[in-house]
Amino acid sequence: MEAQLFYMGTSKILEIRKGGATTFTWGSYGPWTKLKKPVASKTKSVKYSKSAKDKAGSASGFKAGGVTLCDTNIPATAQRTIDGVERTCDVRYQVRGYTIYSRTAALKKKKKMKRSTYTTGKPYQYRLQYADKAIVDKEYSTYVDSEAIFFFADHYFDSAGSRVNTSSHLPHPCECSLTYSDVRRNFESSANNSDGRDNSGSYILSNVRANVVMLTLKWAGVTEEEGETILQVLNPSKNTKGQYNYITIQYLDPATGKSKNGTFFASSERSIVKYPSGAFKEIGVSLMEV
């Protein structure tokens, strides 16, 4: 059988706990918080401006917790509830500068205001990151560049196009179909908006993007553990910024006969039929390229 789907990857925090050892890596963030006693790098009087606003600076790299900074205790560990269980997680932190404007009555009389500048060397705020993202160590998955990668064939292709064999993989879809579509937009102002034709009756449509891929996948007769794993990858969830995750996929491009990587999102419906035993009779999904 020719493999059509090589792997799927997701950056979401997975809830899979079966069939493998769970380790934890850096996951969720705490909010940006003002240090107790920040010391400005520079403070000066500047021309008064009503519209000037406080502005955050760029963030530093991460450092290990367990320190005191500007009279603020930054812990080395913290208790986090993960999948209903309270765990002790490692903590690291980053800082950032800020530009703060102060407008006192005395300064306003002089048409002045105070500008205090904080930097990563003399920071104003900090935030914590917790090692609370679960990684399940399974034969059919790996963890690369903040993504959990799940294999669906006995091999995949690396960035150089070389074949890499896998020691194990999830069941390959029993059905895998692909559809190309073009994204079009009307750029011609003289075109009739109702049918996209100009005054001479010619089409004035132009492709904005060609060959956008839609993958339709179906699995049949997979175990309860395998089905739950597949659904964990397919079902989106919000990250710390309130955005839903995408799915990275390596698939066989029928136009070239070669593997191709793409970024996809699942359609609004994932169809599921289960047996009374808990095994999955069928899982179906359509995935649209971003």
Side-chain angles (χ1 to χ4, degrees), residues 30-42:
W32 282 105
T33 305
K34 181 183 175 183
L35 293 157
K36 287 184 178 180
K37 295 181 179 180
V39 178
S41 174
K42 181 169 40 176

Side-chain angles (χ1 to χ4, degrees), residues 52-73:
K53 296 181 179 179
D54 297 348
K55 183 179 179 181
S58 58
S60 70
F62 285 98
K63 296 181 179 180
V67 299
T68 299
L69 185 65
C70 299
D71 213 29
T72 302
N73 177 53

